[in-house]
Amino acid sequence: DTENISRRLRENQRRAEPLPVGRIVRDASLEVRGSVVYASFIVALVFVPLLTLGGVAGRLFAPLGHAYILAILMSLVTALTVTPALCYLLLGRRAAAAQAPPLNRWLRRGYGRMLTAVLNRPGSILVASLIICAAAFLVLPALGGEFLPQLREGHYIVHTASLPGTSLQESLRLGQLLTRRLLELPGIESVSQWAGRAERGADTYGTHYSEYEVRLTPQTAESGAAQQRVLERIRETLADFPGIAFEVNTFLVERVDETISGYTAPVVVNLYGTDLTRLDEKAREVAALIGTVEGAASIQLRSPPGTPLAEVRFHDDQLAARGLRPLEIIDSLEAAYAGKTVGRYYEGNRGYDIAVILDPGQRGQIEGVGELPLLTADGTLIKLGQVAEVRQTGGRYNILHQNAQRVQTVTCGVQGRDSESFLNDLRDRVLAEIRFPTDIYPEFTGSAVEQSAARSSLIVHSLLAGTGVVLLIYLAIGSVRHLLLTVLNLPFSLAGGVGAAFLTGSTLSVGSMVGFVTLFGITVRNSIMLISHYRQLVQVEGQCWSKATAVRGAEERLPAILMTALVTALAMLPIAVGSDNPGREIMGPMAAIIVGGLVSSTALNLLVLPAVLWRWGRFSRRDDAVPGPEADAGTRCPRQT
């Protein structure tokens, strides 16, 4: 709006009889008013699909959509009211220069020569655009996809699990060794461990399970690359401890993964059934297959069988002959191995419970169970092994249920590739290579599934919003031909975003898709501004639709398009640079895509679209059109062929 008013004021100064400043400001503002309104509503409508995202994706990105839409609408209100008034006060009351600034004139001359050369070869430009678009679409699958990029939070949570039944003392001993090894790594400030579970805790972890909180030094926490190096060293150190399954995550990633699937892993395979033995067999098959998929890491069976148990089977005839009841023996076992309060001791006004329990050395031996003394009805002492069979068996420390069904779960992490392509390969191989009985069926879940669902939802709602966008573009442009030319050229503007993602090593997360949505809105807005100005030149100012008109219209829109690109790029550049550093992991890829896409978008609006419109567009003069100062009012425009 400001650029158009300034240009019209300069043109007014070159008139023999300048018009009133107020009229120039009003007419110049109304000239772009329709384009500004339609373009603003199109940009706002493009962001509506973000508001429809559900789950974790909706919680993360819906606020961004609300903020963006409100900002666009408020800027539109400002452009319709405040901007023209400020232009009148600040630009209209002083004598405007008749000539544009030197930089403006230099840019227009150079751009005019370049565009003239491009207009002489519209076919070549179209072929080059198609090649660039094809290359972008070929690169797109290689980017992969994930729900969230690797977050840099300045610390890591390490989960380790050894064989079920591992004692708490052994877990603590291994923890001390692992802690010393981790503290030797550069960049780690402190390591703390907790093992097993609290007595009244909600978690069902066994004594074989431990968690370690690894805090990084402040210097390391400031760099994303330094944190990645520490993460790789932690995984190498954990790999030196055989027989231990491990995971390494950050706190926020774990909370997101747990919210989605209930587990701290991006890929989760649930097997539902009724027979625990058959579930375990199929779960082990799935775990073995996962190990052969490229990128698999930290494979874990979440309810592993094999927990050692001491099984005591009573001989009922022997119990009856000695006058013993099973409940009495169970009480004796509980007192020996869990402890039992048998009295109370008072010292002054303080009381202490007296409990009995076997010596720790005896409690740790399976042979000691059969030696437990029992008092018979006639007052004699016998051993438990005389009236019962004691043997060691295997069991499990928990049985998982979901939706009133038994479930066995296999989880894994992904390393060296994106989680979405990994999950697709895993799903195809599991369904093709493992035969499941009729009463057992698999379910694939995790953040990779959530990302795919969020993308599918975003695409579906974007198609619905696209219908409204196409309608608004048609109302703004007023021509089906020009509408199709604009829409067909949009993939070229997105190619720069794909290239930026490829060069920065970014995957297509939900935040990256927001970047493409933003880029789409910017491109459509500038395309509408250019086509509307062409229509203004031909239908209102009476210019012939010729190569000179195409060059003139693009030159006059050059400052506005460059300002749009530069302002947006400069705003996003601080976020795009170092997008892997802490605080920029989610928005950094989005900003990089926008900055890269602005390059191709600007090239589209300044070079490709004018060439395509010159070759295949149609702009016809109205009978009541007033010829402009550069038009020949005495001749008819030649019919375009």
Side-chain angles (χ1 to χ4, degrees):
D1 208 20
T2 303
E3 188 277 332
N4 198 57
I5 291 174
S6 178
R7 181 172 57 84
R8 291 303 188 187
L9 286 174
R10 291 196 300 268
E11 293 176 357
N12 188 51
Q13 289 295 318
R14 294 196 295 267
R15 291 176 182 266
E17 296 182 0
L19 298 175
V21 173
R23 178 180 172 182
I24 296 297
V25 172
R26 182 199 64 187
D27 293 344
S29 182
L30 292 177
E31 178 183 335
V32 298
R33 187 53 36 90
S35 301
V36 169
V37 171
Y38 282 120
S40 299
F41 277 108
I42 287 173
V43 175
L45 186 58
V46 166
F47 267 80
V48 169
L50 282 181
L51 310 183
T52 65
L53 288 176
V56 178
R59 294 290 185 180
L60 287 174
F61 296 102
L64 175 64
H66 284 109
Y68 200 100
I69 291 173
L70 289 176
I72 288 293
L73 295 180
M74 289 306 299
S75 68
L76 175 61
V77 172
T78 303
L80 295 177
T81 56
V82 179
T83 301
L86 289 177
C87 287
Y88 177 76
L89 292 174
L90 301 178
L91 301 180
R93 291 191 174 184
R94 65 179 180 85
Q99 296 294 328
L103 178 61
N104 196 332
R105 297 197 301 270
W106 179 79
L107 286 174
R108 287 187 58 172
R109 283 196 300 269
Y111 171 63
R113 289 193 294 268
M114 182 187 302
L115 183 58
T116 301
V118 169
L119 294 180
N120 292 330
R121 301 176 180 84
S124 302
I125 293 299
L126 182 61
V127 171
S129 302
L130 293 177
I131 293 175
I132 293 175
C133 291
F137 279 108
L138 290 176
V139 171
L140 195 60
L143 297 179
E146 57 186 356
F147 186 71
L148 287 177
Q150 181 67 46
L151 300 183
R152 309 300 185 188
E153 302 180 47
H155 71 273
Y156 291 104
I157 300 177
V158 180
H159 305 263
T160 63
S162 52
L163 292 176
T166 302
S167 66
L168 185 61
Q169 291 74 19
E170 179 64 14
S171 293
L172 292 175
R173 187 189 70 82
L174 287 174
Q176 291 176 355
L177 295 176
L178 181 57
T179 298
R180 285 198 295 267
R181 290 284 302 276
L182 292 177
L183 288 175
E184 294 173 359
L185 299 179
I188 293 181
E189 185 177 62
S190 65
V191 180
S192 59
Q193 176 200 12
W194 64 264
R197 66 176 183 268
E199 182 179 357
R200 298 176 182 271
D203 294 321
T204 57
Y205 301 127
T207 55
H208 67 290
Y209 177 86
S210 294
E211 281 190 10
Y212 303 82
E213 294 187 9
V214 180
R215 184 175 299 276
L216 307 183
T217 60
Q219 295 79 10
T220 304
E222 293 176 357
S223 170
Q227 291 193 41
Q228 182 64 30
R229 287 194 295 269
V230 172
L231 175 61
E232 294 172 356
R233 292 180 181 132
I234 290 176
R235 287 172 172 164
E236 292 173 359
T237 301
L238 291 168
D240 292 339
F241 287 78
I244 294 180
F246 62 87
E247 291 177 346
V248 186
N249 294 311
T250 58
F251 179 81
L252 184 56
V253 170
E254 285 203 353
R255 301 292 76 78
V256 172
D257 287 340
E258 281 189 322
T259 302
I260 294 172
S261 64
Y263 295 98
T264 58
V267 178
V268 178
V269 182
N270 292 322
L271 300 180
Y272 295 93
T274 55
D275 190 331
L276 287 176
T277 302
R278 300 177 70 184
L279 280 176
D280 292 338
E281 294 175 357
K282 292 301 175 182
R284 281 191 285 265
E285 290 183 31
V286 171
L289 189 148
I290 292 176
T292 63
V293 179
E294 181 185 358
S298 305
I299 305 169
Q300 293 194 48
L301 203 64
R302 288 298 178 167
S303 179
T307 302
L309 298 175
E311 183 180 55
V312 179
R313 289 185 176 272
F314 298 142
H315 299 317
D316 295 336
D317 54 344
Q318 297 292 335
L319 292 180
R322 288 173 170 78
L324 292 173
R325 293 180 299 175
L327 183 60
E328 295 175 348
I329 301 178
I330 292 175
D331 289 339
S332 298
L333 285 170
E334 181 181 5
Y337 289 93
K340 186 175 182 179
T341 302
V342 296
R344 194 168 180 81
Y345 168 71
Y346 291 93
E347 183 176 351
N349 59 352
R350 302 182 65 181
Y352 303 90
D353 290 334
I354 300 174
V356 295
I357 192 172
L358 277 179
D359 182 82
Q362 293 179 304
R363 293 201 307 269
Q365 301 295 327
I366 185 66
E367 297 81 3
V369 179
E371 300 296 325
L372 184 69
L374 301 174
L375 185 64
T376 63
D378 58 4
T380 60
L381 288 175
I382 64 172
K383 297 179 180 179
L384 176 60
Q386 297 177 242
V387 294
E389 178 186 0
V390 181
R391 62 181 181 179
Q392 182 175 341
T393 62
R396 61 183 73 230
Y397 70 93
N398 66 351
I399 299 177
L400 302 178
H401 291 81
Q402 188 169 331
N403 298 326
Q405 289 181 290
R406 285 179 173 177
V407 59
Q408 178 62 280
T409 300
V410 183
T411 66
C412 75
V414 182
Q415 189 174 352
R417 63 183 298 190
D418 65 282
S419 57
E420 184 178 4
S421 64
F422 175 86
L423 181 64
N424 292 334
D425 291 347
L426 175 63
R427 182 190 290 111
D428 294 340
R429 292 192 56 183
V430 167
L431 297 180
E433 300 178 21
I434 297 181
R435 299 179 62 87
F436 293 98
T438 56
D439 59 338
I440 296 178
Y441 64 93
E443 176 195 41
F444 300 88
T445 183
S447 60
V449 176
E450 179 77 7
Q451 193 271 344
S452 179
R455 185 176 63 178
S456 300
S457 174
L458 191 61
I459 291 175
V460 170
H461 291 100
S462 295
L463 291 176
L464 296 176
T467 304
V469 169
V470 170
L471 179 60
L472 288 175
I473 294 177
Y474 173 74
L475 293 176
I477 295 177
S479 169
V480 176
R481 175 189 291 268
H482 297 156
L483 167 65
L484 294 177
L485 292 176
T486 301
V487 173
L488 291 176
N489 279 277
L490 284 177
F492 178 79
S493 68
L494 304 180
V498 176
F502 180 77
L503 293 176
T504 58
S506 302
T507 55
L508 294 182
S509 62
V510 180
S512 302
M513 298 179 68
V514 174
F516 283 112
V517 171
T518 306
L519 192 59
F520 175 84
I522 294 173
T523 304
V524 169
R525 178 177 60 192
N526 286 338
S527 299
I528 291 176
M529 296 291 291
L530 181 62
I531 295 176
S532 298
H533 190 56
Y534 280 153
R535 192 171 58 184
Q536 168 80 15
L537 292 176
V538 175
Q539 295 183 356
V540 178
E541 299 186 17
Q543 299 291 319
C544 297
W545 177 236
S546 61
K547 187 181 299 183
T549 304
V551 173
R552 175 191 168 186
E555 286 180 347
E556 291 176 349
R557 279 290 169 261
L558 174 66
I561 293 176
L562 287 181
M563 281 194 299
T564 300
L566 287 175
V567 168
T568 308
L570 291 175
M572 292 292 178
L573 195 59
I575 308 175
V577 175
S579 59
D580 192 43
N581 287 340
R584 306 178 186 176
E585 307 94 321
I586 297 179
M587 297 304 173
M590 178 191 74
I593 286 174
I594 293 176
V595 173
L598 283 173
V599 177
S600 60
S601 172
T602 304
L604 167 72
N605 291 126
L606 294 180
L607 297 176
V608 179
L609 190 58
V612 171
L613 290 174
W614 157 240
R615 175 62 181 83
W616 291 281
R618 294 292 184 269
F619 294 94
S620 58
R621 294 175 57 181
R622 298 185 311 192
D623 295 338
D624 57 347
V626 178
E630 300 178 9
D632 185 357
T635 60
R636 295 178 59 86
C637 290
R639 184 176 181 180
Q640 183 177 348
T641 60

